[in-house]
Amino acid sequence: MVLEATMICVDNSEWMRNGDYSPSRFQAQSDAVNLISGAKTQANPENTVGILTMAGKGVRVLATPTSDLGKILACMHGLEMGGETNIAAAIQVAQLALKHRQNKHQQQRIIVFAGSPVKYDIKMLEMIGKKLKKNSVALDIVDFGEEDDGKPEKLEALLAAVNNNDSSHIVHIPSGANALSDVLISTPVFTGDGEGGSGFAAAAAAAAASVGASGFDFDVDPNIDPELALALRVSLEEERARQEAAAKRAAEEASRQEKGEEPSSNAEDATMAEQVNVTAPEENNKATGEMDDENALLEQALVVSMNTSGAGHSGGDAEMLEANSEDQELALALQMSMQESARDQSSQSVVSKVLEDQAFVSSILASLPGVDPNDPSVRDLIASMQSQSEAQQKKNEDEPPNEGK
């Protein structure tokens, strides 16, 4: 494997806007640059690739030699086109960038994409080529686009001045349907110095050579990718079945129109319209009936709630009546107790009055058989009863009346 540092000079001049290469010169060049960068970095892990532009405001290095393919691809996006190319200055800047490479064991190579006219004469280009040869720098040239003012002859003279042991190459790609990357795959610019190139380049070249000559459906070998071949075959069969069904349906419709089945279809449409008109009132009636049922249920619920509230009021009235009857009974009991107390008081007052009348008490005791009114024990008993009656009467007089309770 070749250990190499490569600088790619990109043409971003106004001539890159032309559409003679699909989809445009600049886009075709970008695809080719990406393809070559991937082949170079895959050939050897220590290979490096750098990018610079030759037009615009001047030669500008977008990426110094690096093995990061993502960085190389990213710098190709958003490039502005304008001005004219300065191929001499671009080659000298590229040589300077390769001179300052980190790994001095890497071989040096410059790839120039020339898609616009070359304004330098042959003598100037030969001097630049001799300088490159002196510094052991190989040069690959991709000539496409403009061919006026002896451009191919100038580039051939440059290549002859720099070539050393067939280490440099030039490719002339005319405009047409083929993209730049498709043509470059089979050239030494892509495959390397006669060694078959890297595995990536060899595989890409073999795939390009087998396009259109494989003899398999969709140019896919079932032995290499059976899943893709099966998916393509199934998709093809489904599309064929769909087309056959569409053709059959169209033939049936044409036969129906020839046989006059169009009126029958109109009759079917009328029948369907009648069914729709019949079912519409039925649905309306059904909806009305459902609304009536809902209203009836609502009225029933209101009646039940009113009955429940009425029952609650009647229960409350009954409780109030019971409370009033209880109050009346309590008042009657109080009245009876007051009457009894008044009756007791009156009886006590009568007894006390009777006991105060000693002549009456003595006459009653004298009328009793076996009782002596003058007996001391009888006199003491009568005296104690009189004292008790007087004390009870005094107590009753001191107590407040019960009516205020």
Side-chain angles (χ1 to χ4, degrees):
M1 293 183 294
V2 179
L3 183 60
E4 195 173 57
T6 306
M7 284 296 296
I8 301 177
C9 302
V10 178
D11 189 349
N12 62 329
S13 62
E14 290 289 346
W15 280 267
M16 292 297 103
R17 300 182 187 276
N18 295 343
D20 49 354
Y21 293 84
S22 178
S24 65
R25 288 188 185 182
F26 185 78
Q27 187 61 43
Q29 177 185 224
S30 299
D31 295 340
V33 169
N34 295 339
L35 185 66
I36 293 174
S37 300
K40 295 293 184 181
T41 54
Q42 292 292 328
N44 193 315
E46 296 184 5
N47 282 355
T48 57
V49 179
I51 305 292
L52 63 82
T53 56
M54 298 188 296
K57 295 181 180 180
V59 178
R60 185 163 61 99
V61 178
L62 301 179
T64 56
T66 177
S67 59
D68 187 359
L69 182 60
K71 183 179 180 181
I72 298 169
L73 300 179
C75 68
M76 291 298 298
H77 293 282
L79 288 180
E80 297 180 356
M81 291 178 285
E84 297 180 354
T85 59
N86 190 347
I87 190 171
I91 292 174
Q92 292 176 2
V93 172
Q95 180 187 355
L96 185 62
L98 291 174
K99 183 178 179 180
H100 292 86
R101 66 192 183 279
Q102 294 180 354
N103 189 354
K104 300 300 181 181
H105 297 287
Q106 293 174 329
Q107 297 182 10
Q108 305 174 75
R109 181 176 296 275
I110 298 174
I111 301 176
V112 178
F113 282 85
S116 57
V118 179
K119 62 182 181 179
Y120 295 97
D121 57 6
I122 295 177
K123 186 176 180 180
M124 179 67 178
L125 295 176
E126 287 178 348
M127 185 176 62
I128 295 173
K130 290 178 181 180
K131 186 176 181 181
L132 293 177
K133 184 177 180 179
K134 181 179 179 181
N135 291 283
S136 300
V137 179
L139 179 65
D140 291 336
I141 302 174
V142 180
D143 178 22
F144 68 103
E146 305 297 327
E147 296 181 358
D148 299 337
D149 298 332
K151 175 185 172 184
E153 290 78 10
K154 293 179 180 180
L155 296 178
E156 289 286 353
L158 174 62
L159 180 68
V162 73
N163 194 7
N164 185 15
N165 298 326
D166 292 332
S167 61
S168 301
H169 313 89
I170 186 170
V171 179
H172 300 281
I173 303 176
S175 60
N178 294 328
L180 292 180
S181 56
D182 295 340
V183 177
L184 288 175
I185 284 176
S186 58
T187 61
V189 175
F190 184 78
T191 57
D193 294 333
E195 300 178 357
S198 64
F200 179 85
S210 63
V211 172
S214 60
F216 299 108
D217 293 338
F218 308 103
D219 294 331
V220 176
D221 188 357
N223 297 322
I224 297 176
D225 196 347
E227 295 181 357
L228 178 59
L230 178 60
L232 293 174
R233 189 179 300 110
V234 171
S235 177
L236 179 62
E237 292 176 356
E238 290 179 352
E239 180 64 20
R240 187 180 297 123
R242 187 187 65 81
Q243 292 178 358
E244 291 177 356
K248 185 178 179 180
R249 193 179 304 109
E252 290 178 355
E253 292 178 358
S255 62
R256 288 178 183 176
Q257 291 179 359
E258 291 176 358
K259 293 180 180 179
E261 292 185 359
E262 186 174 359
S264 63
S265 62
N266 293 334
E268 292 178 357
D269 295 338
T271 305
M272 292 178 64
E274 290 178 358
Q275 290 179 355
V276 171
N277 294 330
V278 170
T279 54
E282 292 179 355
E283 293 178 354
N284 294 332
N285 294 332
K286 185 177 180 180
T288 305
E290 292 178 354
M291 292 178 64
D292 295 338
D293 295 338
E294 291 178 356
N295 293 331
L297 291 173
L298 182 60
E299 292 178 357
Q300 186 176 1
L302 291 172
V303 171
V304 171
S305 62
M306 291 175 66
N307 292 335
T308 304
S309 61
H313 288 301
S314 61
D317 295 339
E319 292 178 356
M320 292 179 66
L321 291 174
E322 291 177 359
N324 293 331
S325 61
E326 290 178 357
D327 294 340
Q328 291 178 359
E329 292 177 357
L330 181 60
L332 181 60
L334 291 173
Q335 185 177 1
M336 291 176 64
S337 64
M338 291 173 65
Q339 291 177 358
E340 289 177 358
S341 61
R343 195 177 295 110
D344 293 338
Q345 291 178 2
S346 61
S347 61
Q348 289 178 2
S349 61
V350 172
V351 171
S352 61
K353 289 179 181 180
V354 171
L355 291 176
E356 290 177 358
D357 191 357
Q358 297 181 358
F360 178 70
V361 173
S362 298
S363 62
I364 291 175
L365 293 175
S367 62
L368 295 174
V371 178
D372 187 5
N374 297 321
D375 190 358
S377 60
V378 174
R379 289 183 179 277
D380 293 337
L381 177 62
I382 292 172
S384 63
M385 291 176 65
Q386 288 179 353
S387 61
Q388 289 179 1
S389 62
E390 290 176 358
Q392 185 67 31
Q393 184 176 4
K394 185 177 181 181
K395 182 179 179 181
N396 293 333
E397 290 177 356
D398 294 337
E399 290 181 356
N402 295 328
E403 294 178 356
K405 291 184 180 179

